[in-house]
Amino acid sequence: MSSFIGHSLTAVTIGIAYNSPRQPPLYRFGWYFWLIVISSFPDLDHFIPWLHQSAHQQTRITHSLTFALIFPICTILLLTIKGVRGSKLKLYSWQVILAGLSQILLDLLVGVVGIPLFYPFSRQNFKLPWGILPSAGKLDLSNYYLYRNLLIEMGVLLPILSLVIIIRYRLLQQRQMQVALLGLPGISACFMFWAYNLSR
């Protein structure tokens, strides 16, 4: 699985890419926090025993598409009840759906643990035969692999997420943009290669 930091940064990037910076800061930060909650929701199996894979034939039921979309669907329903309609509802709906699915995508890209994408309809686990993200290291401040894997994960994600924001808000001039379009994916690719060569 990816780290909480990786999931959170991805969720916040989704929020930044879809929201106007002219909105009140408190509103924006509250919405970003909710996107982080949505993206992290499937990891509840680490903290709630009856959701843990050991209680479900070693199946991580929280890492299914159904479970990952529970909070997004509830959020969309609440927004509808509150009277949000039209393009605004569509905008928020895309964000919560992408935040929910980002958890599944990032964990798939680790390529270590199988994910039951279609649970409860099927217990079949899906796993990529390779990984371009490292797994989250054991949460222990003396654990070398915690820091190494976090470095690799940030090296993969930050350039790509930064590029999304740069393109969305046109933050660079044309020549600078050309450098960013080549350089940032190149940096990310180097860290992907490092992650790909880790033992799994």
Side-chain angles (χ1 to χ4, degrees), residues 26-42:
L26 187 61
Y27 172 87
R28 280 186 284 131
F29 294 144
W31 182 247
Y32 298 161
F33 174 77
W34 184 240
L35 292 178
I36 290 172
V37 170
I38 290 173
S39 71
S40 303
F41 183 55

Side-chain angles (χ1 to χ4, degrees), residues 60 96 132 185:
R60 298 194 72 186
V96 294
I132 57 173

Side-chain angles (χ1 to χ4, degrees), residues 21-65:
R22 291 173 292 186
Q23 291 176 327
L26 187 61
Y27 172 87
R28 280 186 284 131
F29 294 144
W31 182 247
Y32 298 161
F33 174 77
W34 184 240
L35 292 178
I36 290 172
V37 170
I38 290 173
S39 71
S40 303
F41 183 55
D43 282 337
L44 277 180
D45 61 345
H46 291 292
F47 309 102
I48 300 178
W50 58 270
L51 287 176
H52 193 267
Q53 62 188 28
S54 60
H56 297 277
Q57 304 173 22
Q58 300 305 314
T59 300
R60 298 194 72 186
I61 64 169
T62 60
H63 284 63
S64 64
L65 294 173

Side-chain angles (χ1 to χ4, degrees), residues 67 77 118 132 136 170:
F67 198 93
L77 288 175
F118 302 112
I132 57 173
R170 300 177 182 177

